Amino acid sequence: MPVPTDELLPTASIGADSDLLGAPAPESIGTVLGRGLGELGEIEGIDPAALADPANTAPADARAMTKVLLRRLAGLEEGTREFSYVRATLIELNLSLVRFAIRRFGHSKEPYEDLLQVGSVGLIKAIDRFDPELGVEFTTYAVPTIVGEIRRHFRDTTWSVHVPRRLQELRLDLAKAQDALAQTLDREPTVADLAEYLSLPEEEVIEGLAAANAHTAGSLDLTSSGEGDGQQPAERLGAVDGRFALIENLVALKPLIAQLPERDREILSMRFTEDLTQSQIGARLGLSQMHVSRLLSRALAKLRAGLTATD
């Protein structure tokens, strides 16, 4: 479940009286940055107005300020007011990275605000885990982290039916390939087109397309809006086959019949398999009809008692 926006992101303008993450900011952003610049060396070209409004900072200024604040954050104690203040400002400065990552999932039907919040969680993880001493650009580390968080959101929360991760990722690749090929071919791509574009076997493409159907599930009580009799899907489902009970009975009777004497088994076979009358059975076995009736009744009583004991 996405985190509420007001609990995740700082306000657009942060002043001395702001209450961020439960702690009032004791200093302005200019003071915090000023201390960082004094320790780390001045950075030329930063617009002074950017210090008062991080949300509208120019990209070049945002990168420079992010570099300063990340090094500043590394020297602060977690849980302090200044740590929370600097961390929140870094989030606000780099929300453009989240929006950039979301554009990769333009084919998704997920609400934009949900993806923004999920991506912001990834941004926070990137800020908390980033080590400025490694000499790597923050964007190089942050974007894959944000994209990974959004992918996990799709994998764990948006599928109606459990689908292996391999097929979930294949579905995303297929969606992108379908968009690209539709533009190039000016028609809907075929399975063969997709297989050639992605260098995959056609069987795997078909499997991925089928897996996409598990992303959403329709209700059995929903009446179709298309042509037809207006029935709900549940009304078109087949009825329960009553012969299933016969299979259960046959499975239960098999060991009981095996315990009967051979002559009793033979009589049962002629009566219920060959559908012979008691007189016909008697003529075949050299017995009277009355004798066959007694033997048949005795065998059926044993089977009935055996079934009752099993239940």
Side-chain angles (χ1 to χ4, degrees), residues 21 81 114 129 148 166 174 190 195-196 224 244 251 274 276:
L21 302 180
R81 294 178 177 178
D114 287 356
R129 299 169 183 174
R166 174 183 65 84
L174 286 171
T190 64
E196 181 180 359
S224 174
F244 284 134
V251 172
E274 301 181 37
L276 299 180

Side-chain angles (χ1 to χ4, degrees), residues 16-144:
D17 296 328
S18 297
D19 186 1
L20 180 62
L21 302 180
E27 304 170 297
S28 69
I29 182 65
T31 303
V32 175
L33 270 177
R35 183 183 303 115
L37 291 172
E39 294 177 356
L40 306 175
E42 294 186 1
I43 297 180
E44 297 180 359
I46 294 183
D47 184 355
L51 303 180
D53 190 4
N56 296 314
T57 303
D61 289 345
R63 287 194 296 271
M65 293 166 64
T66 294
K67 186 175 181 180
V68 172
L69 288 175
L70 283 170
R71 296 181 66 181
R72 180 65 186 159
L73 187 71
L76 294 174
E77 182 180 353
E78 186 174 354
T80 62
R81 294 178 177 178
E82 190 173 353
F83 178 92
S84 299
Y85 190 41
V86 172
R87 181 172 178 259
T89 305
L90 280 167
I91 296 170
E92 194 167 2
L93 279 171
N94 292 280
L95 278 179
S96 60
L97 299 180
V98 177
R99 298 187 182 96
F100 170 78
I102 290 174
R103 288 201 292 271
R104 298 189 180 188
F105 303 89
H107 59 277
S108 169
K109 296 181 181 179
E110 281 290 287
Y112 179 85
E113 289 299 321
D114 287 356
L115 295 183
L116 180 63
Q117 293 180 53
V118 172
S120 298
V121 171
L123 173 62
I124 292 173
K125 290 181 178 180
I127 291 172
D128 291 343
R129 299 169 183 174
F130 184 74
D131 185 355
E133 299 300 325
L134 295 179
V136 178
E137 284 292 330
F138 177 68
T139 54
T140 303
Y141 178 78
V143 172

Side-chain angles (χ1 to χ4, degrees), residues 80-247:
T80 62
R81 294 178 177 178
E82 190 173 353
F83 178 92
S84 299
Y85 190 41
V86 172
R87 181 172 178 259
T89 305
L90 280 167
I91 296 170
E92 194 167 2
L93 279 171
N94 292 280
L95 278 179
S96 60
L97 299 180
V98 177
R99 298 187 182 96
F100 170 78
I102 290 174
R103 288 201 292 271
R104 298 189 180 188
F105 303 89
H107 59 277
S108 169
K109 296 181 181 179
E110 281 290 287
Y112 179 85
E113 289 299 321
D114 287 356
L115 295 183
L116 180 63
Q117 293 180 53
V118 172
S120 298
V121 171
L123 173 62
I124 292 173
K125 290 181 178 180
I127 291 172
D128 291 343
R129 299 169 183 174
F130 184 74
D131 185 355
E133 299 300 325
L134 295 179
V136 178
E137 284 292 330
F138 177 68
T139 54
T140 303
Y141 178 78
V143 172
T145 304
I146 295 168
V147 170
E149 192 69 27
I150 296 175
R151 286 185 182 275
R152 277 190 291 274
H153 170 72
F154 282 120
R155 184 189 69 208
D156 299 336
T157 65
T158 64
W159 288 81
S160 298
V161 179
H162 176 71
V163 172
R165 182 175 180 180
R166 174 183 65 84
L167 292 179
Q168 293 183 25
E169 294 177 349
L170 177 58
R171 171 189 169 272
L172 295 175
D173 293 338
L174 286 171
K176 294 177 183 177
Q178 285 175 317
D179 292 340
L181 288 174
Q183 294 290 332
T184 304
L185 303 174
D186 198 23
R187 60 173 172 80
E188 285 296 317
T190 64
V191 171
D193 294 331
L194 293 169
E196 181 180 359
Y197 184 84
L198 295 173
S199 299
L200 294 173
E202 291 189 14
E203 294 78 7
E204 190 169 343
V205 171
I206 293 172
E207 187 180 15
L209 292 174
N213 295 329
H215 196 262
T216 57
S219 172
L220 291 176
D221 297 324
L222 180 65
T223 302
S224 174
S225 58
E227 296 181 359
D229 54 10
Q231 286 186 320
Q232 298 173 343
E235 296 174 340
R236 294 194 294 271
L237 294 177
V240 177
D241 192 337
R243 290 176 295 179
F244 284 134
L246 295 178
I247 297 175

